[in-house]
Every structure is written in C-alpha cells, then in structure tokens.
Amino acid sequence: MTDPDKKLTLEELEAELNALKVTPAAEPELPAPPPVPPEVPPGPLPLVPGESAKYRLPDMHPEGRKFLGIALAAVLFSGLVLEWTALSFVLLGIAIWVAAFFRDPVRVTPVGDNLIVSPADGLISLITNVDVPRQLLGDGGLSEGQVMRISVFMNVFDVHVNRAPIAGRMTRIVYVPGKFLNADLDKASDENERQYFVMEDASGVRVGFTQIAGLVARRIMKWVDVGQMLKVGERFGLIRFGSRVDVFLPAGYVPAVAVGQRAIAGETVLAVKGTPLMQGAQAQ
C-alpha cells in the first residue's frame, strides 16, 4: 500500500490508478439469430420446400356466373311460386352442378425443357398416329406428314378450362364449324365443331392442339389471339358441357401417359422429348 503522506509523480499516480482498475468479465456470447426464412407470396401453394399446402375451394370462372344466375333464378321461382316441389330440388341440384362445372382450380404446373403438359382435364381416350390436319398446315402451322396424336376426353364432370401445353407464342388459330357428335368418337376430330391452335416455343418447336365440341357442348371459347405469348399452364380457353382436346406431338416427343389414364390440365406431363418414361401400363 502506498504511504498517504508520500508525494507521487504523475507517472506513479497513473500506475497506481491502472493497478486499481478491474478488468470487466467477458460478456457471454449470444447464439446467432436463426436464419430468416424466404418470404412466401400469399397463396395456397407450397412455393418453398417444407411449406405445407392448404386446401383452397376452387374459384368459379366468370364465364359461369350467368349460367349459375339463371339456375338460381329457376330455383327461386319454383320455390316461391310453386312452393318447393320436387322440381325445386332438382333445379337446385342443377345449380350446384353448374357451379361445379365452371370451377377453375389453382394448378401447379411442372416447368422444364422438353415437356408438354396436358391442356385439358379428362381421360386419355386415344393415342395414335395420324396425318397432320390441313387446318394446322400453312403460315405459322405444322409441317406435313404423320404425327402422334393424344386425345383427352372431358366429361360433364371434369374441369373445362383449357391450359397452354407449352410456353411460347401462338402462331396459328383456325375455327371450323361442324357437328356435335360424341367427342369420345375418333371421327369427332374431323366432323365436329373445333378450333385449332399452334404454339411455338423459344427453340422453334411447334405444338398443335385442338378444342373439339362434343355431344352436349355447344360453345368453344378462346381467350387468345395469334402472336400472343403464353406461359405453360396459362388459361387459353374453355369448352362448355363436355368435349375433347387433341394434342399433336412434335418429332422426337413420346407419350408420358397411357390410354385410360386420367390427366389434369396444367399438371400432368403428357409427353417428353427422348426416351419414353415407361414401358407400358395396366389397368387394375
């Protein structure tokens, strides 16, 4: 201990003060904060691995609102005027079916090179080799020759909103009036009312496809024009009340589906380029 009566120099005083200083204890290291997960856009889809998908009631396409309005008006008339007879409940069932027919659910579309996705919901009813229809030939169309055609039959309970099978530009659209035979028949491709489309992707590959009216269908609708760019799985049209869509595969593409299989528009891979994905199929 320093004598209190002793006079210290400035240097000695600083040395005494430094000796009295207490080194503070090192602060404990805090754990690193957890990484911030990527921001997920609102919606029902699992856009990020690990995110859980939530069920979402399908929206109804605006095209169906007038038909639903007519059906509900008939229900109200029969209920209020006819005092809820059996006919009222039949009409109510029809109104529910109309709302279901025009449903437009969200779809998760596979994105990749050399894929063709289904443009329609329904049954793969036929896979066969055919001559390219003359309506698909010409400016912006396909080349002459034989191609493989995949037919997707939509019944009255399927979703009828049609989606682009590839990403690209619409190069040809041809409408042909015709009959209203059962769309499940092969001759419906040549005799029924139908609308032909050709799309070209960034590599120059062209895919042709056709909306075909059916026995009940009386209206083919398109929402696109020649020159318009579409994403794969983007909505391009609708056929009302039962129909069929044919897809004409480019050279080098092989089916990834089998006859009798169910396809989902904008989701099911209909064809791939190169090696077939399967050796065959069986019903069971």
Side-chain angles (χ1 to χ4, degrees):
M1 185 72 179
T2 305
D3 186 354
D5 295 331
K6 181 180 178 181
K7 293 183 179 180
L8 300 175
T9 63
L10 182 59
E11 292 78 6
E12 292 174 331
L13 183 59
E14 289 179 352
E16 288 282 343
L17 292 175
N18 289 334
L20 294 174
K21 286 182 179 179
V22 178
T23 303
E27 294 184 1
E29 292 186 7
L30 297 176
V36 179
E39 186 175 347
V40 181
L45 306 180
L47 301 176
V48 176
E51 287 291 319
S52 176
K54 304 295 190 297
Y55 178 78
R56 173 179 170 180
L57 190 68
D59 295 328
M60 186 175 71
H61 194 275
E63 177 64 22
R65 293 172 185 169
K66 56 185 176 184
F67 293 97
L68 181 60
I70 293 171
L72 291 177
V75 173
L76 290 176
F77 176 82
S78 65
L80 298 177
V81 177
L82 304 180
E83 298 182 352
W84 295 103
T85 62
L87 176 62
S88 304
F89 294 98
V90 172
L91 293 173
L92 179 60
I94 293 174
I96 295 173
W97 173 76
V98 168
F101 178 87
F102 286 100
R103 67 195 184 277
D104 186 13
V106 171
R107 294 288 163 82
V108 183
T109 302
V111 177
D113 296 331
N114 304 323
L115 298 179
I116 297 176
V117 302
S118 179
D121 283 41
L123 181 75
I124 306 297
S125 60
L126 189 64
I127 299 176
T128 186
N129 290 315
V130 297
D131 290 325
V132 175
R134 59 182 179 82
Q135 293 86 356
L136 290 176
L137 303 175
D139 186 32
L142 305 180
S143 301
E144 289 189 54
Q146 278 216 331
V147 293
M148 183 168 287
R149 188 190 74 198
I150 300 179
S151 298
V152 184
F153 174 73
M154 294 175 282
N155 64 38
V156 294
F157 299 105
D158 286 317
V159 174
H160 275 60
V161 175
N162 299 145
R163 295 171 179 261
I166 61 171
R169 182 173 62 92
M170 195 68 67
T171 59
R172 186 174 179 85
I173 300 176
V174 177
Y175 169 77
V176 179
K179 301 177 182 178
F180 297 97
L181 304 175
N182 185 350
D184 201 21
L185 300 175
D186 187 38
K187 63 180 179 179
S189 296
D190 301 317
E191 298 185 20
N192 278 21
E193 177 179 337
R194 56 203 183 275
Q195 192 149 232
Y196 293 91
F197 301 85
V198 178
M199 286 186 68
E200 182 177 346
D201 68 12
S203 64
V205 173
R206 290 181 177 177
V207 176
F209 48 99
T210 314
Q211 291 177 306
I212 303 172
L215 185 65
V216 182
R218 287 295 185 270
R219 182 76 186 276
I220 298 175
M221 303 186 66
K222 69 175 179 66
W223 307 318
V224 295
D225 294 304
V226 172
Q228 187 168 338
M229 297 294 296
L230 295 176
K231 297 179 294 184
V232 59
E234 187 172 352
R235 300 162 180 83
F236 73 85
L238 177 146
I239 317 177
R240 288 208 297 249
F241 307 124
S243 46
R244 189 173 111 199
V245 173
D246 287 345
V247 181
F248 301 88
L249 304 187
Y253 281 75
V254 294
V257 291
V259 173
Q261 182 178 338
R262 296 284 303 175
I264 300 175
E267 289 194 355
T268 301
V269 176
L270 208 63
V272 296
K273 186 176 183 179
T275 307
L277 295 179
M278 56 185 174
Q279 302 300 319
Q282 60 182 17
Q284 53 186 334

